[in-house]
Amino acid sequence: MSATAALMVAAEGGIIGDGRTGANLALGVGLLGLAVGWLALARAGGRISIANARTGGRSAIAVGLTGTALAVLHLATSSGGPGTGNGLVGAIVAVPLGLGAAVLLGRRALARSRGGDRPPVDRMGV
């Protein structure tokens, strides 16, 4: 099965379940990205020291973009409107969850984790 066919099956709800399965999958992936981004941000801030904050930040960005792609794919292939039971509202919620939360937290963790490695920038121009 190609990647495009797998994404189409995931967006349509798969073989089992109703139309909400694709939206629930996108929401789950978005929430996973949010959790990974939050943990990476905690690592970058020095509150926990379990793993590398840069790896966590990159993972949060990748998972957030995947959740957003699944949600957009579900929005593009779903029929009907909100309240029809096809998961349209769940997919609408998954887009800002993946982009707004997971990707931004991942970027912030990446920015914080490289803060001590770089020399300070002289912005005065003197």
Side-chain angles (χ1 to χ4, degrees):
M1 179 181 279
S2 68
T4 307
L7 284 175
M8 287 300 291
V9 169
E12 292 171 355
I15 298 172
I16 59 171
D18 55 359
R20 288 179 226 144
T21 308
N24 288 338
L25 178 67
L27 278 170
V29 171
L31 284 174
L32 180 66
L34 177 68
V36 170
W38 180 76
L39 287 172
L41 192 60
R43 282 183 211 125
R47 292 187 292 274
I48 58 175
S49 60
I50 295 173
N52 190 357
R54 294 194 54 80
T55 304
R58 288 185 191 125
S59 300
I61 291 171
V63 172
L65 288 176
T66 303
T68 302
L70 286 173
V72 168
L73 190 61
H74 185 77
L75 283 172
T77 58
S78 64
S79 60
T84 58
N86 60 4
L88 190 65
V89 175
I92 290 171
V93 170
V95 171
L97 185 66
L99 273 183
V103 172
L104 291 180
L105 281 177
R107 286 187 64 193
R108 192 166 182 187
L110 283 175
R112 280 191 184 179
S113 67
R114 69 181 137 158
D117 299 344
R118 299 177 137 179
V121 177
D122 183 22
R123 296 184 186 214
M124 297 300 290
V126 178

